[in-house]
Amino acid sequence: MLKTSKLTFLLLIFLSFDMSSNTLSLLCKGEATVADVGQLAGDVTVTSIESRKNYAEIILRFEDDFKKGFIQLPSIMRPNIGGKKIDTWELKDISSSDNEIKANFRINFANKPNISISRVTGRMEYKSRAFPKDFAGDCEVVNLEEKKF
């Protein structure tokens, strides 16, 4: 009886991985540093840009054994120039080791973020010189084909 339950358990784990498509989908939840644009009124109207932290969720999808990948940013992280109407970008220069996944992508002419994900801890770091400047969060494997409702 014990052998049957172990075999069933191992079979369920094996079948839960999609071996045919070689894809990995991640949902990363954390905080992003985004622009907070404000207007200062007075004799002269001045636009001020400051940063603020916001909760955000990023979806990543890697395909073909990390040869291709895509990143989907929430609206709070999409800049006005080159990003408000686009939510998914193709990842470039993807590298994957046993401990880390790295890639970059281009949002617009001034914004080319780099991402790194620890395969040990699940921690994702996103760095850019333009807004959104950074994101730090924890990732978990997610099946994008299954819907909650």
Side-chain angles (χ1 to χ4, degrees):
M1 180 73 170
L2 186 58
K3 287 183 181 181
T4 305
S5 62
K6 281 184 179 180
L7 180 61
T8 304
F9 177 73
L10 291 174
L11 187 60
L12 286 173
I13 289 175
F14 180 75
L15 292 176
S16 68
F17 294 106
D18 187 358
M19 302 303 270
S20 63
S21 64
N22 296 319
T23 64
L24 173 66
S25 299
L26 301 172
L27 173 62
C28 305
K29 300 175 183 181
E31 283 192 333
T33 303
V34 296
D36 189 13
V37 180
Q39 295 281 333
L40 300 175
D43 293 339
V44 178
T45 301
V46 178
T47 301
S48 68
I49 299 177
E50 296 179 11
S51 64
R52 63 183 161 95
K53 292 277 190 184
N54 268 67
Y55 175 79
E57 293 182 359
I58 293 175
I59 295 174
L60 294 145
R61 182 174 177 99
F62 298 97
E63 299 175 350
D64 300 329
D65 292 325
F66 298 97
K67 290 182 180 90
K68 292 181 359 183
F70 305 91
I71 185 168
Q72 183 176 356
L73 300 178
S75 60
I76 193 78
M77 289 183 68
R78 296 193 303 253
N80 289 330
I81 300 172
K84 273 302 176 198
K85 295 183 180 175
I86 301 170
D87 69 348
T88 303
W89 287 268
E90 185 177 356
L91 294 171
K92 304 287 186 187
D93 303 323
I94 302 169
S95 66
S96 173
S97 69
D98 288 341
N99 295 323
E100 187 174 47
I101 302 168
K102 289 185 174 186
N104 62 57
F105 64 103
R106 181 177 296 278
I107 293 176
N108 57 32
F109 64 93
N111 199 343
K112 187 177 178 185
N114 294 306
I115 62 167
S116 65
I117 306 163
S118 169
R119 296 184 88 172
V120 177
T121 65
R123 189 77 174 161
M124 177 186 172
E125 299 291 331
Y126 167 119
K127 301 283 184 200
S128 180
R129 292 191 174 130
F131 285 106
K133 287 195 178 258
D134 59 45
F135 170 89
D138 295 309
C139 301
E140 59 189 45
V141 175
V142 65
N143 183 350
L144 296 177
E145 305 304 317
E146 290 182 15
K147 307 295 181 208
K148 283 199 173 209
F149 48 90

